[in-house]
Structure formats: C-alpha cells, structure tokens
Amino acid sequence: MAEVGIFVGTVYGNALLVAEEAAAILDTLGHRARVFEDPDISDWERYRGKVVLVVISTTGQGDLPDNIRPLYQALRSTGWQPDLHYGLIALGDSGYEHFCGGGEQFDALLQEMGANRLGDVLHIDAADDPEPEKVSGPWVKKWANYL
C-alpha cells in the first residue's frame, strides 16, 4: 500500500480537521498516512517518488495560509518533480472573489513542476458545507483507488 504525506495549510483549523479525517480513512484502507500541520521542505522531500495530499484553505484575497507559505516558497525553488503523485483538497467560501485561491495556487505550482495529480481537485465551499469532512470523506475513499 502507499505512503501518503498529508500537507495542511490552515487558518482556523478546518483544513486540519479534513486532513486528520483523510489520514484516518487512508489508514483504514491499509495505507500509511501522516499529517504535517506545519510542513517544511524536509517533510516534503521524504515523499518524493511517493504520494502527497495537500489540504489547504484560502485566506485574504485568495492567499495561502501562513503555515504553508514557507513550504510553497521552498517548492518554487526545487524545480522539476515528475516522480511526485498528489491529490488536492481546497477549502474556500464562494462568497469571496477568489474562491479556493490557496488551493488553486498550490495546484498550479505542482502542475508547473511536472507532478502528476491523481484525480480531480476537490473544492469544498464553506457556504454550502459547514462540515467539510462530510464532503471530503467520500472523495478520499474514491481518491484512494488511485494509490
């Protein structure tokens, strides 16, 4: 089964809740998942050639949360990563102009780096789904089929 690093960008804790639930689901399915709440580049490097799941909320005007910004900046300078497989869950509020902007930025960076996305990005709208883990759980179970 797969080793999955779950990298979290969160402001108020909803993305962390989704990540922890995803880890529990993946572990139940026989994978080994580890959540990184304050991820850095050394954490990321351990999953090169493996699988990562990015769970990220959006802040400000479509910005990245502060806790994941250093990782994002470090990744911008690492270059090509075609051996990386990833999934992405983006949390946002459609009442704002840059809905899920943090997730969109992270996905665009990984695509530029040649990483291989497994499945579609899951966008969770806080306006419709106040309990995001109820939306992410079924998606994670389906996403695990790619592993």
Side-chain angles (χ1 to χ4, degrees), residues 73-124:
Q73 295 298 333
L75 284 172
R76 292 182 71 184
S77 63
T78 61
W80 199 242
Q81 292 198 12
D83 58 340
L84 179 72
H85 294 83
Y86 76 97
L88 197 137
I89 299 173
L91 289 82
D93 186 325
S94 62
Y96 292 91
E97 181 179 352
H98 302 284
F99 174 61
C100 290
E104 295 297 324
Q105 284 183 59
F106 222 99
D107 184 50
L109 174 63
L110 294 175
Q111 288 292 300
E112 288 172 21
M113 296 170 64
N116 299 290
R117 187 175 63 224
L118 304 173
D120 294 326
V121 173
L122 173 63
H123 296 89
I124 300 176

Side-chain angles (χ1 to χ4, degrees), residues 21-141:
E21 179 71 17
I25 291 168
L26 292 169
D27 287 345
T28 300
L29 295 173
H31 302 289
R32 290 190 333 217
R34 181 170 175 203
V35 175
F36 295 92
E37 183 178 356
D38 290 306
D40 63 32
I41 195 67
S42 65
D43 298 325
W44 186 273
E45 290 296 324
R46 286 185 234 156
Y47 290 89
R48 282 192 93 148
K50 297 179 184 171
V51 180
V52 301
L53 176 61
V54 178
V55 181
I56 185 169
S57 62
T58 299
T59 186
Q61 296 297 310
D63 299 321
L64 301 168
D66 288 341
N67 75 307
I68 203 164
R69 190 180 318 247
L71 172 62
Y72 179 87
Q73 295 298 333
L75 284 172
R76 292 182 71 184
S77 63
T78 61
W80 199 242
Q81 292 198 12
D83 58 340
L84 179 72
H85 294 83
Y86 76 97
L88 197 137
I89 299 173
L91 289 82
D93 186 325
S94 62
Y96 292 91
E97 181 179 352
H98 302 284
F99 174 61
C100 290
E104 295 297 324
Q105 284 183 59
F106 222 99
D107 184 50
L109 174 63
L110 294 175
Q111 288 292 300
E112 288 172 21
M113 296 170 64
N116 299 290
R117 187 175 63 224
L118 304 173
D120 294 326
V121 173
L122 173 63
H123 296 89
I124 300 176
D125 187 352
D128 293 331
D129 299 300
E131 297 180 59
E133 69 281 3
K134 289 186 177 181
V135 176
S136 64
W139 182 92
V140 170
K141 289 175 186 171

